[in-house]
Each structure stands twice: as C-alpha cells, then as structure tokens.
Amino acid sequence: MDEKKYRAMILVIGGLGLWGFGLLLWYAIGDREISAILLTAPCFLAAAVSFFGLWHYKRWALVLSRIVALAGSGFGGYLAHFVWTFWLFQTPTLQDRILAVLRPQVCLFLIVPILWLAVSFMPAVKTKFVPPKKGTGL
C-alpha cells in the first residue's frame, strides 16, 4: 500500500475510535455515571494516543490500537447482547433481533474493531510500523 492509503486507513480507524469512545464518554458525563466515566475516559485517551502514534507509524501505537480495538469489541459484544435480549412489551422475531444488532451504534463497536484487528495483523501493515529507536524510552 502507498502512503496515502495508510494515512486514509489511520484517519478512518482513528476517527471512528475517537468518535465512538468520545460519544460514550459524553453520554457517561451527561448521565453523571462515575463508573462509566472511569471506564470510558481511559479508552478515549488510549484511542487518542494510539491515533497520534499510528499517524507517526510507531509500533507501540499499533499495539495500543489493538488493545483499544479489543476494548471496543468487548463493549460491542455487551451492546449486541443487550439489544438482542432486552425487549419490553413485545416478543421480537429473529429479524427484529438481527436488525437491532445491525444498528450503527452497535456495529461501530462490534464490526469496526474486528476489521481493524484483521487489518492490523496483515504483514504489509505490520512492516510499515517501525519499532522505537534504542535509548528513546518509548
């Protein structure tokens, strides 16, 4: 892949990560839910740090972005389970449940992190990210 494709990939993945965890943090702050704030604030911060590290092709940022993707997919699994099982006043059909899981709010945390994990382990992507220089402490 050429430089423009890597930059576009980093912008899309980083932007979606920041947007998703930023919205979660915004909702947690709006609800004044301290436990949710303490859970989502580090994820948002890790997404921001990994985005800037990925922009500079740092290997530690690639590892951090994979950890953020695992956290996002874990939250996506929670959301998918919630929308699959939580139905008030009606009995959903299988199609209703599948459509609930395919909502953008759930797919952002379920499909995008899994796609990033698949792409980040490709050899062409792994070789683009250089290890830190000796003696820099990073």
Side-chain angles (χ1 to χ4, degrees):
M1 289 186 353
D2 64 343
E3 187 75 21
K4 288 183 180 181
K5 288 182 182 178
Y6 281 110
R7 294 290 184 185
M9 177 182 65
I10 292 168
L11 275 174
V12 168
I13 292 299
L16 287 173
L18 289 172
W19 182 52
F21 281 115
L23 282 176
L24 283 178
L25 185 58
W26 180 266
Y27 291 140
I29 290 171
D31 289 343
R32 295 187 179 122
E33 197 56 47
I34 299 299
S35 59
I37 293 170
L38 292 176
L39 182 66
T40 56
C43 291
F44 178 74
L45 182 62
V49 169
S50 69
F51 172 71
F52 290 112
L54 286 173
W55 191 257
H56 296 288
Y57 299 113
K58 301 294 184 185
R59 184 164 305 270
W60 60 264
L62 184 64
V63 173
L64 183 60
S65 72
R66 290 174 181 162
I67 294 169
V68 171
L70 285 173
S73 63
F75 187 73
Y78 169 76
L79 284 176
H81 174 72
F82 182 79
V83 299
W84 185 270
T85 59
F86 186 75
W87 291 84
L88 291 176
F89 309 118
Q90 68 180 5
T91 304
T93 64
L94 181 61
Q95 180 182 2
D96 291 335
R97 290 177 183 222
I98 291 172
L99 290 175
V101 171
L102 292 178
R103 292 177 59 186
Q105 297 91 340
V106 178
C107 286
L108 176 66
F109 289 101
L110 195 60
I111 294 173
V112 172
I114 292 170
L115 287 176
W116 172 245
L117 286 172
V119 168
S120 71
F121 281 105
M122 292 172 56
V125 174
K126 287 194 318 188
T127 57
K128 184 69 175 170
F129 293 90
V130 294
K133 294 183 171 134
K134 303 272 190 222
T136 61
L138 295 176

